[in-house]
Amino acid sequence: MQIGMIGLGRMGANMARRLARNGHECVVYNRDPQVANALAQEQPGVHPTESLDELAATLRPPRSIWLMVPAGAVTDTVIETLTPYLSPKDVLVDGGNSYFKDTVRRSQALAEKGIFLLDAGTSGGVWGLERGYCLMVGGAEAAFQQLEPALETLAPGTDHSSRTPGRKGSVEPAEKGYLHCGPPGAGHYAKMIHNGIEYGLMQAYAEGFNILESAGTPEAPEPYRYEFDVAAIAELWRRGSVVESWLLDLTAAALHADPDLDGFTGHVQDSGEGRWTVLTAVEQAVPAQVLTAALYARFRSRQESSFSDRILSAMRHQFGGHAEP
């Protein structure tokens, strides 16, 4: 299919590459035209444009346009600038980490013009080009069906994981790595909770490795003094342990490259989804003690540094290419 891609950062460029490598025609735009031109020279099937109106004019209606731009005001600005060049039945996809309430607002405004908005919570980070992207999608069913060929290409597919025991019959989209989660906002809601869980998982790993690392310090009481090779234990737990995961894989890679994590200060940023998860839990009176504690641990990391904070920074750099401030 033909699809537009607006925003060619760490994820947007790789998504365009994955689509083009699998036979889709990608019409791309980036605020720095040189980025779009360089990608087109590198990847056959990618066509650069120098403005949003040129991108819209190049695409055949009904248009399918994927936005990978920072959540918040930038998303609003891009949508407002692009909308006059769109037609009824065109589909915009917001693949960023937008707050689901903003998505509902934007969807309602576009629906008045006959334009669909899909919200596609996207997980996969800088590894998505090869591994694929887990896609949590909200919006109208008709819009989802229009984008499904691209969604199936971007998703990891059935080779990524073995089939869950007990599942039989036709393979469902969720087993391929993408899912229509519900009406507008549902995709970003699911991604918000996904990232809230991610905070908790990362914090659990960080605290556990911190306890191991602390056993080798002079301050440790005599019965607890062990010189653990933390990198080796991370490698060990990747093999047959009940705590093995992709996050552990990334942690092991970071520790192998820098066992003391001297390249990280431990200043752990948060991109918003953890805060929204906790706020949503409060608004619904749903207990979320672990996720809330993990969020507050990130706040604390900006005041002092520990090995666990450096573990968190290392994980964020591994899966998302996030640099410390």
Side-chain angles (χ1 to χ4, degrees):
M1 66 176 290
Q2 187 189 50
I3 185 168
M5 180 68 70
I6 297 174
L8 301 175
R10 289 192 302 264
M11 290 184 68
N14 278 345
M15 294 173 79
R17 289 185 179 98
R18 187 173 174 91
L19 288 164
R21 288 179 185 180
N22 288 277
H24 298 276
E25 179 189 353
C26 290
V27 180
V28 302
Y29 168 80
N30 194 75
R31 62 182 180 180
D32 181 354
Q34 293 182 355
V35 174
N37 291 331
L39 180 61
Q41 291 177 359
E42 167 211 323
Q43 178 61 59
V46 171
H47 307 285
T49 59
E50 295 188 358
S51 64
L52 293 177
D53 58 327
E54 182 186 351
L55 178 137
T58 304
L59 293 168
R60 298 182 296 272
R63 301 171 182 87
S64 299
I65 304 175
W66 197 296
L67 278 61
M68 288 302 293
V69 299
V74 174
T75 301
D76 281 320
T77 298
V78 172
I79 291 176
E80 290 169 4
T81 304
L82 183 62
T83 299
Y85 307 111
L86 301 181
S87 306
K89 297 185 179 181
D90 286 350
V91 178
L92 288 181
V93 185
D94 180 3
N97 286 323
S98 293
Y99 189 28
F100 76 97
K101 292 184 179 180
D102 290 335
T103 298
V104 172
R105 168 180 57 80
R106 293 167 183 148
S107 177
Q108 292 172 343
L110 288 168
E112 293 177 358
K113 299 177 173 61
I115 301 167
F116 295 109
L117 177 67
L118 286 180
D119 46 297
T122 305
S123 181
V126 295
W127 298 88
L129 174 60
E130 302 302 332
R131 290 172 56 97
Y133 301 88
C134 177
L135 299 164
M136 296 145 266
V137 185
E141 178 68 31
F144 174 80
Q145 291 178 0
Q146 180 173 319
L147 264 292
E148 192 164 11
L151 297 171
E152 188 164 8
T153 295
L154 289 169
T158 55
D159 292 338
H160 183 271
S161 301
S162 59
R163 199 170 198 192
T164 300
R167 280 191 174 270
K168 299 178 181 179
S170 300
V171 175
E172 298 177 359
E175 298 179 81
K176 301 177 184 179
Y178 68 98
L179 180 67
H180 184 218
C181 297
H188 280 151
Y189 189 107
K191 180 57 162 53
M192 173 183 71
I193 303 306
H194 166 283
N195 283 27
I197 293 171
E198 180 184 290
Y199 279 35
L201 292 173
M202 292 173 67
Q203 188 65 31
Y205 281 126
E207 291 179 8
F209 283 114
N210 192 37
I211 295 170
L212 289 171
E213 193 268 345
S214 296
T217 64
E219 295 78 17
E222 185 62 38
Y224 303 99
R225 289 185 184 174
Y226 298 98
E227 292 290 339
F228 288 114
D229 184 336
V230 178
I233 290 178
E235 192 66 34
L236 169 70
W237 286 350
R238 293 181 60 226
R239 291 166 168 79
S241 164
V242 296
V243 299
E244 63 179 324
S245 70
W246 186 38
L247 278 175
L248 183 59
D249 294 345
L250 298 175
T251 304
L255 288 168
H256 176 71
D258 183 3
D260 295 323
L261 301 180
D262 291 329
F264 298 91
T265 66
H267 182 119
V268 187
Q269 194 57 267
D270 69 287
S271 53
E273 302 92 325
R275 300 187 190 206
W276 300 333
T277 298
V278 171
L279 177 61
T280 300
V282 170
E283 290 175 341
Q284 297 186 48
V286 175
Q289 300 96 313
V290 171
L291 306 189
T292 301
L295 175 65
Y296 283 125
R298 295 197 174 197
F299 295 161
R300 181 204 48 74
S301 77
R302 299 163 204 173
Q303 299 174 338
E304 58 181 278
S305 175
S306 69
F307 189 76
S308 64
D309 297 329
R310 297 200 296 278
I311 284 277
L312 288 171
S313 285
M315 278 191 275
R316 293 187 83 243
H317 179 73
Q318 283 284 325
F319 68 72
H322 302 291
E324 292 182 332

